Amino acid sequence: MAAKKTQAIIFDIGRVLVRVDVSRSMQDLAQGVSLSPQEICTAIEKDPRWHDWQEGRISPRDWHLHLSKRLGGSLTFEEFSEAWNRSLDSTPIQDN
C-alpha cells in the first residue's frame, strides 16, 4: 500500500505551541506613527482585514501594505516583518 501524500498541516501558534507577547512588536510598529503602541494593537485587532490575515487569505506583503496605508507606517516590509515576528517567543511552550 502506497503512503498517503500529506496535503496540509494545520497548527495554532497563538499561545498553544509558541508564547506570544504582542507588546514587543507594537513598540516597533509604532515608530513613525502618530498612535501609541496600545492604540496600534487595538487598531490592528479591530481592522476589517484582521480575520483575513489570521486565516491566511492575505499575504504578508499585502498585510504590510494594508497596515502601512491604514496606520501611516513607514517601515519597509523587512522592518515590518522583523517587528511583527518579535511577538513570537523562540522557546516552544511544549517540549515534545
Side-chain angles (χ1 to χ4, degrees):
M1 177 179 212
K4 291 185 179 183
K5 180 180 175 185
T6 302
Q7 294 181 340
I9 297 174
I10 300 171
F11 59 93
D12 177 9
I13 62 170
R15 298 177 186 95
V16 174
L17 301 175
V18 176
R19 287 176 189 82
V20 176
D21 180 358
V22 296
S23 66
R24 295 188 304 206
S25 292
M26 296 306 119
Q27 193 70 19
D28 292 337
L29 293 176
Q31 291 179 14
V33 177
S34 62
L35 300 172
S36 71
Q38 182 56 45
E39 290 170 323
I40 293 279
C41 187
T42 300
I44 290 172
E45 288 176 345
K46 292 183 178 183
D47 189 280
R49 305 247 14 226
W50 174 247
H51 290 291
D52 289 336
W53 167 248
Q54 289 290 297
E55 296 170 9
R57 290 187 296 270
I58 183 173
S59 74
R61 287 191 183 274
D62 288 342
W63 179 240
H64 163 252
L65 289 173
H66 171 74
L67 287 182
S68 295
K69 288 178 185 175
R70 185 153 189 263
L71 304 175
S74 61
L75 297 176
T76 65
F77 175 71
E78 289 74 20
E79 293 168 331
F80 174 83
S81 296
E82 286 179 29
W84 189 267
N85 289 329
R86 277 191 195 93
S87 66
L88 303 176
D89 192 317
S90 62
T91 305
I93 291 173
Q94 299 184 21
D95 294 332
N96 282 325

